[in-house]
């Protein structure tokens, strides 16, 4: 007879909870068989995944290395120090906080350290590609602070003149750059000089291209920008989570106390550990090959879709993101997303600049190359995937989306997935 503790530690999920185990198996098949083009999604290395089956999730800590409130913390202290040190080396920063549970919470901690309720924040509006945590009315950031925004010009590029005008008119405490659907590099020096004129702090949220910055494939916000936030699960290929880095120690201390005890309690030790592992991978010279393939695959998808006659916001991309403008095709983003999924290609509907559709309908599709590049794909596969998406969308726009989809495309997508497996 097994004791209750033995049962607790030994019985497998399939036995204790077949319902959840069944859903996990189905999710496994879905991921193996589909081609993932949703921009924030990515895979972790085998090394990162080992963290989650280790015993580190059972560590519980509060505070920071050297300033904990529990015993038994020597190993997690060592790990968190490594994570912080690697984060600083990745971006040339002086200070790093690796504890935010998500990108949104990283931003929230920055606001909590710099702003008082009612202060003015200048950020990019959502339909131009901004992020909801940058002042959307239904997010805490939009409820507690006064958000004013800048957008993109007719070609989809950031309108720096408008940014400067807004800064001079509203004198914000904080200017935010970066977004969730802006496909181009940002002129950080120009933003810093506008901020200086109005005495504002600057935050660059580089969630969608932080891996490319580390690899030197995208310009770095430092030394121009005061504070940089990013998620760690996009092209840094780590666990879901957030990171804050800055170059000023004093600002760093304020950020630390804003994260804990400001907006979070204890951090997640397994997340910090997996962050340390993925940061180590990103610092390895081999990471450059990955980042180059991310960029090459995104550019090839954009070119193929443009050649197939689709509008690409800004005409191309400098990042993993491609934003397809569906206006004039008779398709909306939600319909295109659903039809592509029937072909094994996952994407997401997205607002495009000047969009008049609702956020849950939209006139655009956002595609990202971070996950396919992790699977080993590059420019060649990006081009073919762009062509396949073009074929599917063209057909949807001419013949409607009834039926099971194009069998030839479905077959080719399955082949792609099989040729580039995700679990060794
Ligand atoms: C993904 C993303 C975030 C964070 O998202 P979470 O889901 O909160 O981790 C924040 N800012 C930008 C620009 C993003 O792209």
């Amino acid at each position: 007879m097994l004791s209750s503790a033995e049962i607790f530690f030994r019985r497998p999920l399939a036995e204790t909870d077949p319902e959840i185990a069944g859903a996990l198996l189905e999710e496994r098949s879905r991921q193996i068989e589909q081609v993932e083009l949703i921009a924030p999604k990515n895979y972790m290395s085998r090394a990162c995944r080992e963290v989650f089956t280790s015993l580190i999730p059972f560590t519980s800590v509060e505070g920071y290395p050297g300033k904990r409130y529990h015993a038994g913390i020597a190993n997690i202290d060592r790990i968190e120090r490594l994570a912080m040190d690697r984060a600083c080396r990745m971006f040339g920063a002086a200070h790093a906080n690796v504890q935010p549970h998500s990108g949104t919470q990283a931003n929230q901690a920055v606001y909590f350290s710099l702003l008082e309720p009612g202060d003015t924040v200048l950020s990019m509006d959502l339909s131009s590609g901004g992020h909801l945590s940058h002042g959307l009315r239904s997010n805490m950031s939009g409820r507690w602070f006064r958000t004013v925004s800048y957008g993109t010009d007719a070609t989809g590029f950031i309108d720096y003149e408008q940014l400067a005008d807004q800064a001079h008119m509203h004198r914000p405490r904080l200017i935010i750059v970066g977004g969730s659907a802006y496909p181009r590099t940002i002129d950080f020096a120009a933003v810093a000089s506008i901020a200086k004129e109005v005495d504002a702090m600057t935050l660059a949220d580089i969630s969608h291209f932080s891996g490319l910055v580390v690899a030197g494939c995208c310009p770095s916000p430092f030394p121009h920008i005061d504070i940089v936030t990013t998620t760690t699960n996009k092209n840094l290929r780590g666990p879901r989570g957030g990171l804050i880095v800055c170059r000023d120690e004093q600002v760093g201390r304020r950020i630390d106390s804003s994260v804990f005890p400001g907006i979070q309690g204890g951090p997640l030790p397994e997340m910090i550990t997996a962050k340390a592992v993925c940061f180590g991978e990103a610092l390895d010279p081999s990471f450059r090959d990955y980042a180059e393939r991310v960029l090459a695959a995104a550019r090839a998808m954009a070119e193929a879709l443009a050649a197939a006659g689709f509008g690409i916001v800004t005409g191309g991309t400098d990042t993993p993101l491609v934003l397809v403008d569906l206006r004039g095709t008779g398709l909306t983003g939600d319909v295109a997303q659903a039809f592509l999924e029937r072909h094994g290609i996952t994407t997401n509907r997205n607002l495009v600049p000047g969009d008049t559709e609702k956020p849950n309908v939209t006139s655009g599709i956002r595609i990202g190359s971070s996950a396919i590049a992790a699977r080993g794909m590059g420019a060649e596969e990006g081009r073919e995937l762009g062509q396949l998406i073009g074929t599917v969308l063209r057909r949807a726009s001419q013949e409607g989306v009834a039926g099971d989809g194009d069998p030839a495309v479905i077959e080719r997508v399955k082949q792609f997935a099989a040729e580039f497996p995700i679990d060794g």
Side-chain angles (χ1 to χ4, degrees):
M1 264 288 278
L2 294 179
S3 72
S4 64
E6 281 168 332
I7 290 170
F8 179 73
F9 284 116
R10 286 187 193 175
R11 268 183 87 200
L13 184 68
E15 230 176 271
T16 63
D17 195 337
E19 227 179 327
I20 295 289
L24 290 183
L25 265 181
E26 276 175 39
E27 175 61 10
R28 184 183 147 80
S29 307
R30 185 194 74 76
Q31 290 198 18
I32 288 173
E33 286 161 20
Q34 291 189 340
V35 169
E36 185 63 80
L37 292 177
I38 295 181
K41 294 204 189 172
N42 208 343
Y43 309 104
M44 285 187 285
S45 64
R46 150 97 196 234
C48 261
R49 286 177 64 186
E50 276 181 32
V51 170
F52 294 89
T53 48
S54 76
L55 299 187
I56 199 76
F58 311 134
T59 309
S60 184
V61 289
E62 260 183 2
Y64 292 98
K67 291 174 278 183
R68 302 287 196 199
Y69 295 81
H70 295 124
I73 43 67
N75 298 315
I76 186 65
D77 271 18
R78 178 151 61 120
I79 290 167
E80 186 166 356
R81 282 203 174 96
L82 278 168
M84 291 159 67
D85 174 61
R86 290 173 184 179
C88 286
R89 278 198 284 141
M90 286 196 301
F91 295 103
H95 187 92
N97 188 303
V98 298
Q99 294 193 357
H101 299 329
S102 74
T104 296
Q105 274 177 297
N107 289 335
Q108 197 177 338
V110 172
Y111 308 149
F112 198 49
S113 70
L114 299 178
L115 306 172
E116 293 296 329
D119 277 352
T120 300
V121 174
L122 174 59
S123 63
M124 181 154 68
D125 71 72
L126 204 62
S127 76
S128 298
H131 190 259
L132 61 95
S133 64
H134 299 174
L136 186 73
R137 183 70 201 147
S138 51
N139 184 263
M140 184 218 80
S141 56
R143 203 68 68 81
W144 289 7
F145 309 113
R146 181 173 159 261
T147 309
V148 289
S149 50
Y150 59 89
T152 48
D153 61 23
T155 59
F157 285 82
I158 290 176
D159 185 342
Y160 291 96
E161 243 169 72
Q162 188 194 27
L163 198 164
D165 289 346
Q166 288 287 75
H168 283 278
M169 190 178 339
H170 298 286
R171 315 239 13 136
R173 274 291 276 281
L174 177 68
I175 298 178
I176 307 176
V177 290
S180 56
Y182 185 68
R184 293 296 184 167
T185 49
I186 296 164
D187 187 344
F188 296 115
V191 174
S193 104
I194 295 166
K196 198 158 177 234
E197 287 164 16
V198 299
D199 200 22
M201 293 284 284
T202 49
L203 165 65
D205 176 348
I206 61 169
S207 290
H208 272 291
F209 55 95
S210 47
L212 273 55
V213 170
V214 175
C217 298
C218 266
S220 170
F222 291 142
H224 309 292
I225 297 292
D226 297 312
I227 302 170
V228 172
T229 55
T230 179
T231 48
T232 49
N233 49 294
K234 290 170 187 165
N235 35 66
L236 284 172
R237 290 195 297 192
R240 286 207 66 97
L243 168 67
I244 308 171
V245 285
C246 63
R247 287 162 58 89
D248 184 299
E249 289 285 359
Q250 214 176 329
V251 171
R253 277 195 292 278
R254 265 156 55 199
I255 285 170
D256 283 352
S257 58
S258 294
V259 174
F260 173 85
I263 64 161
Q264 289 185 180
L268 307 167
E270 67 275 35
M271 297 301 177
I272 290 176
T273 309
K275 284 173 191 175
V277 174
C278 82
F279 296 167
E281 291 170 356
L283 285 166
D284 190 90
S286 64
F287 188 72
R288 170 104 195 179
D289 167 68
Y290 167 67
E292 281 172 353
R293 272 183 300 102
V294 169
L295 198 52
R299 289 196 162 136
M301 284 194 287
E303 275 164 28
L305 278 158
F310 287 90
I312 303 297
V313 176
T314 75
T317 183
D318 306 317
T319 68
L321 298 178
V322 179
L323 200 54
V324 186
D325 187 341
L326 296 169
R327 285 176 294 196
T329 66
L331 295 172
T332 49
D334 55 346
V335 169
Q337 171 193 314
F339 199 53
L340 283 168
E341 187 172 13
R342 233 175 282 167
H343 294 79
I345 299 172
T346 48
T347 62
N348 73 281
R349 69 191 86 169
N350 213 99
L351 292 170
V352 293
D355 211 328
T356 51
E357 296 287 352
K358 292 199 185 83
N360 62 347
V361 178
T362 80
S363 304
I365 280 286
R366 181 182 67 165
I367 57 189
S369 55
S370 296
I372 57 169
R375 285 175 93 145
M377 300 187 209
E380 199 182 310
E381 293 79 18
R383 187 167 310 111
E384 194 180 338
L385 281 168
Q387 288 161 352
L388 292 173
I389 294 169
T391 303
V392 170
L393 294 181
R394 176 66 54 222
R395 189 164 158 190
S397 108
Q398 286 165 356
E399 300 167 23
V401 295
D404 295 332
D406 183 333
V409 175
I410 292 171
E411 198 42 47
R412 184 67 189 116
V413 171
K414 275 205 186 118
Q415 267 175 14
F416 257 124
E419 242 176 87
F420 297 91
I422 60 172
D423 63 350

Coordinates of all heavy atoms in Angstrom, one line a residue, residues 99-169:
Q99 N 12.0 40.3 -12.0 CA 10.9 39.7 -11.3 C 9.5 39.9 -11.9 O 8.6 39.2 -11.5 CB 10.9 40.2 -9.8 CG 12.1 39.7 -9.0 CD 11.9 39.9 -7.5 OE1 11.0 40.4 -7.1 NE2 12.9 39.4 -6.8
P100 N 9.3 40.9 -12.8 CA 7.9 41.1 -13.2 C 7.3 39.8 -13.8 O 7.9 39.2 -14.6 CB 8.0 42.2 -14.3 CG 9.2 43.0 -13.9 CD 10.2 41.9 -13.3
H101 N 6.0 39.6 -13.4 CA 5.4 38.4 -13.9 C 5.0 38.4 -15.3 O 4.7 37.4 -16.0 CB 4.1 38.1 -13.1 CG 4.3 37.9 -11.6 ND1 5.4 37.4 -11.1 CD2 3.5 38.3 -10.6 CE1 5.3 37.3 -9.8 NE2 4.2 37.9 -9.4
S102 N 4.9 39.6 -15.9 CA 4.5 39.8 -17.3 C 5.0 41.1 -17.8 O 5.5 42.0 -17.1 CB 3.0 39.7 -17.5 OG 2.4 40.9 -17.0
G103 N 4.9 41.3 -19.1 CA 5.2 42.6 -19.7 C 4.4 43.7 -19.2 O 4.9 44.8 -18.9
T104 N 3.1 43.5 -19.1 CA 2.2 44.5 -18.6 C 2.6 44.9 -17.1 O 2.6 46.1 -16.8 CB 0.7 44.0 -18.6 OG1 0.4 43.7 -20.0 CG2 -0.2 45.0 -18.0
Q105 N 3.0 43.9 -16.3 CA 3.4 44.3 -15.0 C 4.7 45.0 -14.9 O 5.0 45.8 -14.0 CB 3.4 43.0 -14.1 CG 1.9 42.9 -13.5 CD 1.8 41.6 -12.7 OE1 1.9 40.5 -13.2 NE2 1.5 41.8 -11.4
A106 N 5.6 44.7 -15.9 CA 6.9 45.4 -15.9 C 6.5 46.9 -16.2 O 7.1 47.8 -15.5 CB 7.7 44.9 -17.1
N107 N 5.6 47.2 -17.1 CA 5.3 48.6 -17.4 C 4.6 49.2 -16.2 O 4.9 50.4 -15.9 CB 4.3 48.6 -18.7 CG 5.1 48.3 -19.9 OD1 6.3 48.5 -20.0 ND2 4.4 47.8 -20.9
Q108 N 3.7 48.5 -15.6 CA 3.0 49.0 -14.4 C 4.0 49.4 -13.3 O 3.8 50.4 -12.7 CB 2.1 47.9 -13.9 CG 1.0 48.4 -13.0 CD 0.1 47.3 -12.6 OE1 0.0 46.3 -13.2 NE2 -0.6 47.5 -11.4
A109 N 5.0 48.6 -13.1 CA 6.0 48.9 -12.1 C 6.8 50.2 -12.5 O 7.1 51.0 -11.6 CB 7.0 47.7 -12.0
V110 N 7.1 50.4 -13.8 CA 7.7 51.6 -14.2 C 6.8 52.8 -13.9 O 7.3 53.8 -13.3 CB 8.1 51.6 -15.7 CG1 8.6 52.9 -16.2 CG2 9.1 50.5 -16.0
Y111 N 5.5 52.7 -14.2 CA 4.6 53.8 -13.9 C 4.6 54.1 -12.4 O 4.7 55.2 -12.0 CB 3.2 53.5 -14.4 CG 3.1 53.1 -15.8 CD1 2.1 52.2 -16.2 CD2 4.0 53.5 -16.8 CE1 1.9 51.8 -17.5 CE2 3.9 53.1 -18.1 CZ 2.8 52.2 -18.5 OH 2.7 51.8 -19.8
F112 N 4.5 53.0 -11.6 CA 4.5 53.2 -10.2 C 5.7 53.9 -9.6 O 5.7 54.5 -8.6 CB 4.2 51.8 -9.5 CG 3.7 51.8 -8.1 CD1 2.6 52.6 -7.8 CD2 4.3 51.1 -7.1 CE1 2.1 52.7 -6.5 CE2 3.9 51.1 -5.8 CZ 2.8 51.9 -5.5
S113 N 6.8 53.7 -10.3 CA 8.1 54.3 -9.8 C 8.3 55.7 -10.2 O 9.0 56.5 -9.6 CB 9.3 53.4 -10.2 OG 9.5 53.6 -11.6
L114 N 7.6 56.1 -11.3 CA 7.8 57.5 -11.9 C 6.7 58.4 -11.8 O 6.9 59.6 -11.8 CB 8.2 57.4 -13.4 CG 9.4 56.6 -13.8 CD1 9.4 56.6 -15.4 CD2 10.6 57.1 -13.3
L115 N 5.5 57.9 -11.7 CA 4.3 58.7 -11.8 C 3.4 58.8 -10.6 O 3.4 57.9 -9.8 CB 3.4 58.2 -13.0 CG 4.1 58.0 -14.4 CD1 3.2 57.2 -15.3 CD2 4.6 59.3 -15.0
E116 N 2.6 59.9 -10.5 CA 1.5 60.0 -9.6 C 0.2 59.9 -10.3 O 0.2 60.3 -11.5 CB 1.6 61.3 -8.8 CG 2.8 61.5 -7.9 CD 2.8 60.5 -6.8 OE1 1.7 60.2 -6.3 OE2 3.9 60.1 -6.4
P117 N -0.9 59.4 -9.7 CA -2.2 59.3 -10.4 C -2.5 60.7 -11.0 O -2.3 61.7 -10.3 CB -3.2 59.0 -9.3 CG -2.3 58.2 -8.3 CD -1.0 58.8 -8.3
G118 N -3.0 60.7 -12.2 CA -3.3 62.0 -12.8 C -2.2 62.6 -13.7 O -2.5 63.5 -14.5
D119 N -1.0 62.1 -13.6 CA 0.1 62.5 -14.4 C -0.1 62.2 -15.9 O -0.9 61.2 -16.2 CB 1.4 61.9 -14.0 CG 2.1 62.6 -12.8 OD1 1.6 63.7 -12.4 OD2 3.1 62.1 -12.3
T120 N 0.5 63.0 -16.8 CA 0.3 62.8 -18.2 C 1.3 61.8 -18.8 O 2.5 62.0 -18.5 CB 0.3 64.1 -18.9 OG1 -0.7 64.9 -18.3 CG2 0.1 64.0 -20.4
V121 N 0.9 60.9 -19.6 CA 1.8 60.0 -20.3 C 1.5 60.1 -21.8 O 0.3 60.2 -22.2 CB 1.5 58.5 -19.9 CG1 2.3 57.5 -20.7 CG2 1.7 58.3 -18.4
L122 N 2.6 60.2 -22.6 CA 2.4 60.2 -24.1 C 2.9 58.9 -24.7 O 4.0 58.5 -24.5 CB 3.3 61.4 -24.6 CG 3.4 61.6 -26.1 CD1 2.0 61.8 -26.8 CD2 4.3 62.7 -26.5
S123 N 1.9 58.3 -25.4 CA 2.3 57.0 -26.0 C 1.6 56.8 -27.3 O 0.8 57.6 -27.7 CB 1.8 55.8 -25.0 OG 0.4 55.9 -24.9
M124 N 2.0 55.7 -28.0 CA 1.4 55.5 -29.4 C 0.0 54.9 -29.2 O -0.2 54.0 -28.4 CB 2.3 54.6 -30.1 CG 1.8 54.3 -31.5 SD 3.2 53.8 -32.6 CE 3.6 52.2 -32.0
D125 N -0.9 55.4 -30.1 CA -2.3 55.0 -29.9 C -2.4 53.5 -30.4 O -1.6 53.1 -31.2 CB -3.3 55.9 -30.6 CG -3.2 55.9 -32.1 OD1 -3.6 54.9 -32.7 OD2 -2.7 56.9 -32.6
L126 N -3.4 52.8 -29.9 CA -3.6 51.4 -30.2 C -3.7 51.1 -31.6 O -3.1 50.1 -32.1 CB -4.8 50.9 -29.4 CG -4.9 49.4 -29.0 CD1 -3.7 49.1 -28.1 CD2 -6.2 49.1 -28.4
S127 N -4.5 51.9 -32.4 CA -4.7 51.5 -33.8 C -3.4 51.8 -34.6 O -3.3 51.3 -35.7 CB -5.9 52.3 -34.4 OG -5.6 53.6 -34.6
S128 N -2.5 52.5 -34.1 CA -1.2 52.7 -34.8 C -0.2 51.6 -34.4 O 0.9 51.6 -34.8 CB -0.6 54.1 -34.5 OG -1.4 55.1 -34.9
G129 N -0.6 50.8 -33.4 CA 0.3 49.7 -33.0 C 0.7 49.7 -31.6 O 1.6 49.0 -31.2
G130 N 0.1 50.6 -30.8 CA 0.5 50.7 -29.4 C 0.1 49.5 -28.6 O -0.6 48.6 -29.1
H131 N 0.4 49.4 -27.3 CA 0.0 48.3 -26.5 C -1.0 48.7 -25.4 O -0.9 49.9 -24.9 CB 1.2 47.7 -25.8 CG 0.9 46.4 -25.1 ND1 0.7 46.2 -23.8 CD2 0.7 45.1 -25.6 CE1 0.5 45.0 -23.5 NE2 0.4 44.3 -24.6
L132 N -1.9 47.8 -25.0 CA -3.0 48.2 -24.1 C -2.4 48.7 -22.8 O -3.0 49.5 -22.1 CB -3.9 47.0 -23.9 CG -3.4 45.7 -23.3 CD1 -3.6 45.7 -21.8 CD2 -4.0 44.5 -23.9
S133 N -1.2 48.2 -22.4 CA -0.6 48.7 -21.1 C 0.0 50.1 -21.2 O 0.6 50.5 -20.2 CB 0.4 47.6 -20.6 OG 1.5 47.6 -21.5
H134 N -0.1 50.7 -22.4 CA 0.5 52.0 -22.5 C -0.6 53.1 -22.4 O -0.4 54.2 -23.0 CB 1.2 52.2 -23.9 CG 2.3 51.2 -24.1 ND1 3.0 51.1 -25.3 CD2 2.9 50.3 -23.2 CE1 3.9 50.1 -25.2 NE2 3.9 49.7 -23.9
G135 N -1.7 52.8 -21.8 CA -2.7 53.9 -21.5 C -4.1 53.6 -22.1 O -4.9 54.6 -22.2
L136 N -4.4 52.4 -22.5 CA -5.7 52.1 -22.9 C -6.7 52.4 -21.8 O -6.4 52.1 -20.6 CB -5.9 50.6 -23.3 CG -7.2 50.2 -24.0 CD1 -7.3 50.8 -25.4 CD2 -7.4 48.7 -24.0
R137 N -7.8 53.0 -22.1 CA -8.8 53.4 -21.1 C -9.2 52.3 -20.2 O -9.4 52.5 -19.0 CB -10.0 54.0 -21.8 CG -11.1 54.6 -21.0 CD -10.7 55.9 -20.3 NE -11.6 56.1 -19.1 CZ -11.3 56.6 -18.0 NH1 -10.1 57.1 -17.8 NH2 -12.2 56.7 -17.0
S138 N -9.4 51.1 -20.7 CA -9.8 50.0 -19.9 C -8.7 49.3 -19.1 O -8.9 48.3 -18.4 CB -10.6 49.0 -20.7 OG -9.8 48.6 -21.8
N139 N -7.5 49.7 -19.3 CA -6.3 49.2 -18.6 C -6.0 50.2 -17.4 O -6.4 51.4 -17.5 CB -5.1 49.1 -19.5 CG -3.9 48.5 -18.8 OD1 -3.0 49.2 -18.3 ND2 -3.8 47.2 -18.8
M140 N -5.4 49.7 -16.3 CA -5.1 50.5 -15.2 C -4.3 51.8 -15.7 O -4.5 52.9 -15.2 CB -4.3 49.8 -14.2 CG -4.0 50.5 -12.9 SD -2.3 50.1 -12.3 CE -1.3 51.2 -13.4
S141 N -3.4 51.6 -16.6 CA -2.6 52.7 -17.1 C -3.4 53.8 -17.7 O -3.0 55.0 -17.5 CB -1.6 52.2 -18.2 OG -2.3 51.6 -19.2
G142 N -4.6 53.5 -18.3 CA -5.4 54.6 -18.8 C -6.4 55.1 -17.8 O -6.9 56.3 -18.0
R143 N -6.6 54.4 -16.8 CA -7.6 54.8 -15.8 C -6.9 55.8 -14.8 O -7.5 56.7 -14.3 CB -8.1 53.6 -15.1 CG -9.5 53.8 -14.4 CD -10.6 54.0 -15.4 NE -10.9 52.8 -16.2 CZ -11.7 51.8 -15.8 NH1 -12.2 51.8 -14.6 NH2 -11.9 50.8 -16.6
W144 N -5.6 55.5 -14.4 CA -5.0 56.2 -13.4 C -4.2 57.4 -13.9 O -3.8 58.3 -13.2 CB -4.0 55.3 -12.6 CG -4.8 54.3 -11.7 CD1 -6.2 54.2 -11.7 CD2 -4.3 53.5 -10.7 NE1 -6.5 53.2 -10.8 CE2 -5.4 52.8 -10.2 CE3 -3.0 53.2 -10.3 CZ2 -5.2 51.8 -9.2 CZ3 -2.8 52.2 -9.3 CH2 -3.9 51.5 -8.7
F145 N -3.8 57.3 -15.2 CA -3.0 58.4 -15.7 C -3.7 59.1 -16.9 O -4.6 58.4 -17.5 CB -1.6 57.9 -16.2 CG -0.9 57.1 -15.1 CD1 -0.7 55.7 -15.3 CD2 -0.6 57.7 -13.9 CE1 -0.1 55.0 -14.3 CE2 0.0 56.9 -12.9 CZ 0.3 55.6 -13.1
R146 N -3.3 60.3 -17.2 CA -3.9 61.0 -18.4 C -3.1 60.6 -19.6 O -1.9 60.9 -19.6 CB -3.9 62.5 -18.1 CG -4.5 63.3 -19.2 CD -4.6 64.8 -18.7 NE -4.8 65.6 -19.9 CZ -3.7 66.2 -20.5 NH1 -2.5 66.2 -19.9 NH2 -3.9 66.9 -21.6
T147 N -3.7 59.9 -20.5 CA -3.0 59.4 -21.7 C -3.2 60.3 -22.8 O -4.3 60.6 -23.2 CB -3.4 58.0 -22.1 OG1 -3.4 57.2 -21.0 CG2 -2.5 57.4 -23.2
V148 N -2.1 60.8 -23.4 CA -2.3 61.5 -24.7 C -1.5 60.7 -25.7 O -0.5 60.0 -25.3 CB -1.8 63.0 -24.7 CG1 -2.7 63.8 -23.8 CG2 -0.4 63.1 -24.1
S149 N -1.8 60.8 -27.0 CA -1.2 59.8 -27.9 C -0.6 60.5 -29.2 O -1.0 61.6 -29.5 CB -2.1 58.7 -28.2 OG -3.3 59.2 -28.6
Y150 N 0.3 59.8 -29.8 CA 0.8 60.1 -31.1 C 0.5 58.9 -32.0 O 0.2 57.8 -31.4 CB 2.3 60.4 -31.1 CG 3.2 59.3 -30.6 CD1 3.7 58.3 -31.5 CD2 3.5 59.2 -29.2 CE1 4.4 57.3 -31.0 CE2 4.2 58.2 -28.8 CZ 4.7 57.2 -29.6 OH 5.5 56.2 -29.2
G151 N 0.6 59.1 -33.3 CA 0.2 57.9 -34.1 C 1.2 57.8 -35.3 O 2.4 58.3 -35.2
T152 N 0.8 57.2 -36.3 CA 1.6 57.0 -37.5 C 1.1 57.9 -38.6 O -0.1 58.3 -38.6 CB 1.6 55.5 -37.9 OG1 0.3 55.1 -38.0 CG2 2.4 54.7 -36.9
D153 N 1.9 58.2 -39.6 CA 1.5 59.0 -40.7 C 0.8 58.1 -41.8 O 0.6 56.9 -41.5 CB 2.7 59.8 -41.3 CG 3.8 58.9 -41.8 OD1 3.5 57.7 -42.2 OD2 4.9 59.3 -42.0
A154 N 0.5 58.6 -42.9 CA -0.3 57.9 -43.9 C 0.5 56.6 -44.4 O -0.2 55.6 -44.8 CB -0.6 58.8 -45.1
T155 N 1.8 56.6 -44.3 CA 2.5 55.4 -44.7 C 2.7 54.4 -43.6 O 3.3 53.3 -43.8 CB 3.9 55.9 -45.2 OG1 4.6 56.5 -44.1 CG2 3.9 56.8 -46.4
G156 N 2.3 54.7 -42.4 CA 2.3 53.8 -41.3 C 3.6 53.9 -40.4 O 3.7 53.2 -39.4
F157 N 4.4 54.9 -40.7 CA 5.6 55.2 -39.9 C 5.3 56.1 -38.8 O 4.3 57.0 -39.0 CB 6.8 55.8 -40.7 CG 7.5 54.8 -41.6 CD1 6.9 54.4 -42.9 CD2 8.6 54.2 -41.2 CE1 7.6 53.4 -43.6 CE2 9.3 53.2 -42.0 CZ 8.8 52.9 -43.2
I158 N 6.0 56.1 -37.7 CA 5.7 57.0 -36.5 C 5.8 58.4 -37.0 O 6.8 58.8 -37.7 CB 6.7 56.7 -35.4 CG1 6.4 55.4 -34.7 CG2 6.6 57.9 -34.4 CD1 7.5 55.0 -33.6
D159 N 4.8 59.2 -36.6 CA 4.8 60.6 -37.0 C 5.6 61.4 -35.9 O 5.0 61.8 -34.9 CB 3.4 61.1 -37.1 CG 3.2 62.5 -37.6 OD1 4.3 63.3 -37.5 OD2 2.2 62.9 -38.1
Y160 N 6.9 61.6 -36.1 CA 7.7 62.2 -35.0 C 7.3 63.7 -34.8 O 7.5 64.2 -33.7 CB 9.2 62.0 -35.3 CG 9.6 60.6 -35.2 CD1 9.7 59.8 -36.4 CD2 10.0 60.0 -34.0 CE1 10.1 58.5 -36.3 CE2 10.3 58.7 -33.9 CZ 10.4 57.9 -35.0 OH 10.8 56.6 -34.9
E161 N 6.8 64.3 -35.9 CA 6.4 65.7 -35.7 C 5.2 65.8 -34.8 O 5.2 66.7 -33.9 CB 6.0 66.3 -37.1 CG 6.9 67.4 -37.5 CD 6.6 67.8 -39.0 OE1 5.6 68.3 -39.2 OE2 7.5 67.4 -39.8
Q162 N 4.3 64.9 -35.0 CA 3.1 64.8 -34.1 C 3.5 64.5 -32.7 O 3.1 65.1 -31.7 CB 2.1 63.8 -34.6 CG 0.8 63.9 -33.9 CD -0.1 62.7 -34.1 OE1 0.4 61.6 -34.5 NE2 -1.4 62.9 -34.0
L163 N 4.5 63.6 -32.5 CA 5.0 63.2 -31.2 C 5.6 64.5 -30.5 O 5.3 64.7 -29.3 CB 6.1 62.1 -31.4 CG 6.5 61.3 -30.2 CD1 7.2 60.0 -30.6 CD2 7.3 62.0 -29.1
A164 N 6.4 65.2 -31.3 CA 7.0 66.5 -30.7 C 5.9 67.5 -30.3 O 5.9 68.1 -29.2 CB 8.0 67.0 -31.7
D165 N 4.9 67.7 -31.2 CA 3.8 68.6 -31.0 C 3.1 68.3 -29.7 O 2.8 69.1 -28.9 CB 2.9 68.7 -32.2 CG 3.5 69.4 -33.4 OD1 4.6 70.0 -33.2 OD2 2.9 69.2 -34.5
Q166 N 2.7 67.0 -29.6 CA 2.0 66.5 -28.5 C 2.8 66.7 -27.2 O 2.3 67.1 -26.1 CB 1.6 65.0 -28.6 CG 0.5 64.7 -29.6 CD -0.8 65.2 -29.2 OE1 -1.1 66.3 -29.1 NE2 -1.7 64.2 -28.8
A167 N 4.1 66.4 -27.3 CA 4.9 66.6 -26.1 C 5.0 68.0 -25.6 O 4.9 68.3 -24.4 CB 6.4 66.1 -26.4
H168 N 5.1 68.9 -26.6 CA 5.2 70.4 -26.2 C 3.8 70.9 -25.7 O 3.8 71.7 -24.8 CB 5.6 71.2 -27.4 CG 7.1 71.1 -27.6 ND1 8.0 71.8 -26.9 CD2 7.9 70.3 -28.4 CE1 9.3 71.5 -27.3 NE2 9.2 70.5 -28.2
M169 N 2.7 70.3 -26.3 CA 1.4 70.8 -25.9 C 1.0 70.3 -24.5 O 0.5 71.0 -23.7 CB 0.4 70.4 -26.9 CG -1.0 71.1 -26.6 SD -2.3 70.7 -27.8 CE -1.5 70.1 -29.3

